[in-house]
Amino acid sequence: SGGYGGGGGGGGGLRYSSAFSVASNTTYTITVGAGGANTDVLQSNGSLSRLSNSSGTLVEAAGGGKGGSAGSAGPTALVSSGGSGGGAGSRIGVTTSGGSGNFPAVFPSQGNAGGSAPPGPAGGAGGGGAGGSGESSSPTTSAGANGGIGVTYSISGTSTSYAGGGGGGSCSPVLPAGTGVDGGGRGSLGDNPLAANTGTAGTGGGGGGGYGISNATNGLRGAAGGSGRVILKYTQNVRLADPAGFVRFTNSGTWTVPEGCNTIDYLVV
């Protein structure tokens, strides 16, 4: 081994509500967030998803926090808080905590914290998910830790899991990398190039963590996070020809509430 595993990215924040009051013929603006980018062994936070109208923001889901870089003892190694927090990377001589989830704070909570990592050489911690915290990595193994679980909904008629955390990077080419779940990507496998997996597009899953030797400039990059999604399910007056339906956004856009519709269910990630 001898290396340092990077932390998995946190899943994006997830917001869900049923029977949310709306007004017919009102136009809403939908913003779909991008997954965090990957550069070297560093990741960046994802961007937020939002549902808004002319009166302002109605609901907002924060982007996932970036995972901690591997090996570096400098400030760039720090993880970030977010919808769910990034997992900590294994660093030289220090124990590192994962990023906080549900940041900024909302109720119900939009996500959970990333796991912590011991001083290296060691694997990286998993990023937090909307349904659970990321796992912490162990000082007794080079394996990466798993990402936190996401949450499953069937708002569009198909059961789909969203906003899972990315797995931490392994610091060994033979011991397992952390698993990303519910849209999160698997971490890198030691010094195997570009082995970290991206988060699944449209789920808000966190990217897998990278691998470092001694600092953030000589390792392998973590993977990008998955983009978000907004789903709106509506029910119109039952006397109309099209009494119910849903709209899905994987890119930003607008939507006008149909005539006779007074409530919607929404999922924003």
Side-chain angles (χ1 to χ4, degrees):
S1 57
Y4 302 81
L14 187 145
R15 309 290 303 278
Y16 174 84
S17 179
S18 60
F20 181 78
S21 295
V22 295
S24 297
N25 302 312
T26 300
T27 297
Y28 289 86
T29 299
I30 291 87
T31 303
V32 176
N38 59 327
T39 55
D40 297 321
V41 291
L42 299 178
Q43 298 164 309
S44 64
N45 283 25
S47 57
L48 59 82
S49 293
R50 176 191 292 136
L51 178 66
S52 60
N53 61 15
S54 59
S55 299
T57 298
L58 302 178
V59 61
E60 190 171 270
K66 70 178 181 180
S69 66
S72 173
T76 58
L78 299 179
V79 298
S80 290
S81 299
S84 285
S90 174
R91 297 168 63 191
I92 301 169
V94 293
T95 297
T96 309
S97 298
S100 298
N102 194 33
F103 181 84
V106 294
F107 181 83
S109 173
Q110 61 180 318
N112 294 278
S116 61
S133 299
E135 294 184 2
S136 296
S137 51
S138 170
T140 61
T141 177
S142 299
N146 296 333
I149 61 172
V151 180
T152 301
Y153 288 98
S154 55
I155 184 173
S156 61
T158 302
S159 182
T160 305
S161 298
Y162 302 94
S170 168
C171 67
S172 164
V174 294
L175 291 176
T179 299
V181 294
D182 298 336
R186 186 194 66 192
S188 64
L189 189 63
D191 56 3
N192 288 330
L194 303 177
N197 289 347
T198 60
T200 303
T203 68
Y211 166 80
I213 299 171
S214 61
N215 59 54
T217 62
N218 63 357
L220 299 172
R221 63 179 59 190
S227 56
R229 181 184 296 259
V230 175
I231 302 176
L232 308 175
K233 181 180 179 181
Y234 61 91
T235 302
Q236 296 173 264
N237 188 308
V238 294
R239 293 174 294 178
L240 299 179
D242 182 21
F246 60 87
V247 286
R248 291 177 285 195
F249 291 87
T250 54
N251 296 293
S252 299
T254 61
W255 179 70
T256 300
V257 181
E259 184 69 35
C261 176
N262 299 310
T263 63
I264 62 172
D265 299 349
Y266 65 71
L267 184 149
V268 181
V269 61

